[in-house]
């Protein structure tokens, strides 16, 4: 199953044509990699960034 | 091993019996908690109706806590666990890995839910479901939620294991079907949700046991909302997967473009959880960069994904209907859709209300500057009843009308009234949302026992319109609650009293779910192969215009709130 060309109505079956599998498809077919990205990205961008800002707030005297 | 399977006569699915049983028990338990939570919701709504004001203050906060917990956590997540087993084992024709662990998960979840409910009903844990520190509940309140979450995490693990083992055992070819991919998205967000929940609730449990002296309130909010917000995004991903499933089951509809839809789910995985920061928009101590990055730049990519689904789900239905010859004009495909079938009507209202009521209001309130107009008003519950009730709950109800009779091979208990139920519940709840949002725009606070401030030292007079809205909200809540009760009676009745199904064609009455077309559209990868869906594009334009108008009206309104001159 390559690029758009397969627009034929009958269901595409994953024939082993030996073509290289596109990067996007490899990513989307890898549940554990997706899991990793889905956990790390919000942990860094939302939780850690947020906590670091709070830690940086100066203590009241 | 092969006698562990049965073939479903309606759909041709090869169903793993242990998975079958787990799906049933999780789904039924979910529905029972919807009943409990729904009753509390009605009591809360009747208290907030100023002329009725049914509960005293302590019971109001108790009921509010129980309501949030039983519906948002217990109903939705039990149903989602059932969905995870369904979309992995059943849709992939595979065995469910580790059914014993599945039962352990079930027992942990049920035990945890009961434990937390007992803590709440005892009256010493009315901290509402956000349980913000320094408000303190009894230790078993937190412990119950933690056990529940551990159970749910096990369920997610079984889902991952099942799709990986199914691939190894070659029960499907190529990529997983889109419905399963949507469930995968939900499961990924669920893992993050549960880990974040553990990170915050375990220390809070220790704090309530006196083992930790202090928890910083702002840190609590940041980490708690990583769970609180993300759990809502599990729901979004799950109910969109359900939309695709229903389109496939009822119409044999394939997604317009499998690639585009999968890409939209990927955007969810990447960005949806970051929007947790929209709960912190008025917190001092967090920078604007942090707030705006997480709620605008990142969130809008997730909103884009929702709009893609909003376009391709009806688009898939339109394409399938046109293929069947409903080609006249822009909307024949829609007019001739099975509006009397609760699977369809629930699905259709779920798409429309989620987009128009929940989606538009969500983007408005997630904008840093606009948030202040409605922050902590009853607008907020107005918004999320549109998303999590008319969106998620209604979609789950719609699917149940197909799933329960099919899995049990039973006739629906009350097929006649089932035709009306989605309208009662959906429209009732859409009105609840609208009136809450209306009252919120007038400044009525959320989680407030008495907006008349009868014995308060410093009163405040809300305009009469606010009282009217809260009254109309109460009336709509009665309608919605009635709809919910009918659903529950029908489902439990089908289970206990439903007649065994006669082979599809012999049924005398118009069957509620028409003899399903080969369910292959739900179980395989592949696109519809057409983009000719003019009706859907017109609907999308109407949506965009409403969206833009509403958004800018609120900027205008903001200008009047702050009186710039
Ligand atoms: C019969 C159906 C329902 C009715 C009449 C109802 C009504 C209400 C009302 C009046 C409030 C209180 C708003 C406030 O005072 O701040 C509320 C809160 C809430 N509802 Fe519902 N609701 C219903 C179903 C649901 C469902 C199905 C869900 C979730 C799936 C849900 C989730 C929530 C949550 C999370 C809260 C917030 C609780 C809190 O502030 O701690 N509701 N509901
Ligand atoms: Cu949120």
């Amino acid at each position: 199953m390559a690029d758009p060309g397969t627009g034929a109505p009958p269901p595409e079956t994953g024939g082993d044509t030996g073509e290289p599998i596109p990067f996007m498809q490899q990513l989307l077919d890898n549940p554990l990699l997706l899991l990793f990205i889905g956990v790390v990205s919000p942990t860094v961008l939302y939780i850690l960034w947020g906590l670091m800002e709070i830690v940086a707030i100066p203590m009241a005297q | 091993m092969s006698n562990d399977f049965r073939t479903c006569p309606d759909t041709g699915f090869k169903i793993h019996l242990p998975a079958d049983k787990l799906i049933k028990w999780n789904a039924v338990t979910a529905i029972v908690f919807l009943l409990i939570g729904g009753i509390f919701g009605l009591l809360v709504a009747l208290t907030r109706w100023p002329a009725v004001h049914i509960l005293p203050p302590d019971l109001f906060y108790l009921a509010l806590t129980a309501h949030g917990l039983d519906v948002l956590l217990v109903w939705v997540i039990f149903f989602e666990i059932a969905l995870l087993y369904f979309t992995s084992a059943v849709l992939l024709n595979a065995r469910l890995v580790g059914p014993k662990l599945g039962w352990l998960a079930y027992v942990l979840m049920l035990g945890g839910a009961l434990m937390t409910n007992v803590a709440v009903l005892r009256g010493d844990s009315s901290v509402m479901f956000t349980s913000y520190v320094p408000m303190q509940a009894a230790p078993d309140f937190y412990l119950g939620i933690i056990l529940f979450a551990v159970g749910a995490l096990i369920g997610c693990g079984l889902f991952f294991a099942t799709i990986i083992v199914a691939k190894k055992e070659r029960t499907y070819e190529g990529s997983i079907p889109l419905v399963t991919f949507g469930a995968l998205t939900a499961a990924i967000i669920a893992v993050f949700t549960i880990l974040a929940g553990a990170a915050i609730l375990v220390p809070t449990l220790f704090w309530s046991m006196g083992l930790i002296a202090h928890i910083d309130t702002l840190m609590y909010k940041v980490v708690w909302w990583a769970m609180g917000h993300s759990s809502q995004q599990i729901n979004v991903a799950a109910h969109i997967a359900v939309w695709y499933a229903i389109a496939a089951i009822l119409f044999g509809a394939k997604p317009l473009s499998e690639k585009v839809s999968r890409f939209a789910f990927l955007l969810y995985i990447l960005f949806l959880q970051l929007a947790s920061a929209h709960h912190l928009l008025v917190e001092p101590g967090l920078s604007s960069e942090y707030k705006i990055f997480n709620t605008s730049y990142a969130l809008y990519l997730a909103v884009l994904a929702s709009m893609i689904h909003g376009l391709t789900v009806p688009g898939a239905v339109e394409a399938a209907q046109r293929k069947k010859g409903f080609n006249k004009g822009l909307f024949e495909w829609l007019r001739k859709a099975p509006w009397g079938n609760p699977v369809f009507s629930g699905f259709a209202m779920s798409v429309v209300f989620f987009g128009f009521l929940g989606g538009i209001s969500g983007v408005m309130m997630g904008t840093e500057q606009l948030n202040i107009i409605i922050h902590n008003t009853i607008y907020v519950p107005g918004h999320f009843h549109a998303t999590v009730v008319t969106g998620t709950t209604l979609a789950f109800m719609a699917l149940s009308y197909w799933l329960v009779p099919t899995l049990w091979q039973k006739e629906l208990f009350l097929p006649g009234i089932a035709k009306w139920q989605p309208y009662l519940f959906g429209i009732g709840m859409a009105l609840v949302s609208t009136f809450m949002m209306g009252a919120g725009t007038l400044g009525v606070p959320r989680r407030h026992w008495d907006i008349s401030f009868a014995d308060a030292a410093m009163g405040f007079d809300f305009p009469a319109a606010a009282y009217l809205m809260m009254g109309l909200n109460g009336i709509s809540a009665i309608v919605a609650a009635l709809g919910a009760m009918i659903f529950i009676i029908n489902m439990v009745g089908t289970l206990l009293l439903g007649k065994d199904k006669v082979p599809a064609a012999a049924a005398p009455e118009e069957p509620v779910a028409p003899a399903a077309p080969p369910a292959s559209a739900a179980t395989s990868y592949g696109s519809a192969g057409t983009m000719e869906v003019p009706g859907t594009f017109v609907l999308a334009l109407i949506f965009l215009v409403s969206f833009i108008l509403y958004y800018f009206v609120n900027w205008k309104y903001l200008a009047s709130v702050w009186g710039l001159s």
Side-chain angles (χ1 to χ4, degrees), chain B residues 345-346 348-358 361 378-379 381-391 393-394 421-439 469 472-481 483:
Chain B
S345 58
M349 280 186 284
S350 168
V351 175
V352 170
F353 293 147
F354 179 74
F356 277 84
L357 288 177
S361 61
I378 201 161
Y379 188 98
H383 153 74
F384 67 66
H385 281 76
T387 54
V388 83
V389 190
T390 62
T393 300
L394 195 53
Q421 186 275 333
Y423 295 100
L424 268 185
F425 185 73
I427 295 173
M429 216 59 223
L431 292 175
V432 165
S433 284
T434 310
F435 291 129
M436 282 202 214
M437 288 198 262
M469 299 264 188
L472 292 171
N473 176 53
I475 296 171
S476 315
I478 295 174
V479 175

Side-chain angles (χ1 to χ4, degrees), chain B residues 32 49 70 172 188 203 215 218 224 300 310 329 357 394 401 420 564:
Chain B
V32 172
W49 181 349
D70 283 329
Y172 68 97
I188 289 172
I215 292 185
L218 187 51
W224 194 90
Y300 293 157
L357 288 177
L394 195 53
Y401 278 113
W420 291 100
L564 298 179

